[in-house]
Amino acid sequence: MGRIGHEAIRELVYTPTVGSAAGVEVMELAGLYERARRHGNDPHAAQRPTFHQLIGARDRPLHVWVDFVEHELRPGSWLWIRPGQVQRFGADLDAADGVIVLFQPGFLAPATVAAAHMDPPYEQRPLTPEGPAQEGVRRALDHLAYEYGAMASLPLAVHADVLRALLSVLVVRLAQARGAAPDPSAASETFRRFHAVVERDHAVTRRVEDYAAALGYSPRTLTRASLAATGRTAKQYVDDRVLLEAKRLLQHSGLAAKEVADELGFADASDFTKFFRLRTGRTPGAFRSGGGVR
């Protein structure tokens, strides 16, 4: 199978607005659409941002696909897209009414990351705050947007600290609206470490024993931590991550199936096909020709 004309996944790197505090940006969704068009980019193309995105809809719904799952943001809803996820905006972005808050990994303090339940596993679904939670989120966003727009009124370093504090309020408010998270535990810390190394090495090895050796745990410990966090064994978690990347490459790149197999560390194309078909019921070629799950 040779290369075919599927669109590539565009890696989207955060570039701060000139003169603004690096690390966070607040803009209207209409402005996002116009900026993409101004720079010659397709605002509806698949992209893989390297930063966090908090997307809030106001009076009109918005459709966003994140890793093959379609999400409808109804008025008042929020969606949190994490760095590295592949996303695509629907046609209704053209007339979207809402806000998008971008921020870089590492911008928020560790205490905020813990309080906002930002560690994996991520709950990927829209959130619609109600009652007092809705008011808290609205006030937090309004204050953040105001201070972001008033960047000339403070020294740049101070302005960055102010935005960090106000963004912290927003993400914690959103986390509270989502509901209580499980209490931190040794198992969750083990899973966080496991998740990080799987993100780094899933194209290198699919053996749980290799991850256990790298982290200094036993395979059984990784499986217990993974089951507690996700309901999936450590092996299933690794395979799920490899399968996700395979789908991304098949759907959004011109790589042939053999090249996808090479990218993901399979011995040969037949080994990859067997892996893919066992978990999806389809061959890589059938998945691609059928448009995947968009």
Side-chain angles (χ1 to χ4, degrees), residues 14-173:
Y14 176 82
T15 303
T17 301
V18 176
S20 68
V24 63
E25 187 167 352
V26 183
M27 73 172 72
E28 294 293 305
L29 283 170
L32 177 70
Y33 175 80
E34 291 301 328
R35 184 163 75 174
R37 301 292 292 179
R38 190 166 59 248
H39 291 153
N41 299 321
D42 180 359
H44 306 294
Q47 57 189 15
R48 192 199 307 249
T50 61
F51 45 83
H52 292 270
Q53 298 173 90
L54 291 172
I55 302 173
R58 291 198 190 97
D59 293 334
R60 290 188 288 275
L62 175 69
H63 290 80
V64 186
W65 280 258
V66 182
D67 281 328
F68 307 99
V69 178
E70 180 182 5
H71 301 283
E72 180 183 25
L73 276 73
R74 298 181 180 276
S77 295
W78 287 81
L79 183 66
W80 191 330
I81 303 178
R82 312 285 176 152
Q85 293 186 302
V86 175
Q87 68 175 73
R88 182 171 64 83
F89 285 105
D92 46 9
L93 177 65
D94 305 24
D97 176 27
V99 65
I100 181 168
V101 180
L102 319 175
F103 63 98
Q104 294 193 80
F107 184 70
L108 295 177
T112 301
V113 171
H117 318 314
M118 290 173 60
D119 289 316
Y122 311 124
E123 188 174 9
Q124 192 72 58
R125 61 180 174 85
L127 165 69
T128 307
E130 297 179 348
Q134 181 184 47
E135 181 66 10
V137 169
R138 185 191 67 78
R139 287 176 179 265
L141 175 63
D142 286 350
H143 199 172
L144 174 63
Y146 173 82
E147 292 295 348
Y148 179 79
M151 65 179 69
S153 63
L154 294 170
L156 197 57
V158 175
H159 188 240
D161 285 340
V162 168
L163 295 181
R164 182 177 293 107
L166 294 173
L167 177 61
S168 298
V169 175
L170 177 61
V171 299
V172 170
R173 285 289 185 184

Side-chain angles (χ1 to χ4, degrees), residues 255-284:
L255 294 178
K258 181 182 184 306
E259 293 170 306
V260 173
D262 292 341
E263 286 277 327
L264 296 176
F266 286 87
D268 53 46
S270 63
D271 188 27
F272 171 58
T273 297
K274 183 186 301 182
F275 171 90
F276 195 90
R277 182 160 47 192
L278 181 64
R279 288 158 182 81
T280 68
R282 290 191 281 178
T283 65

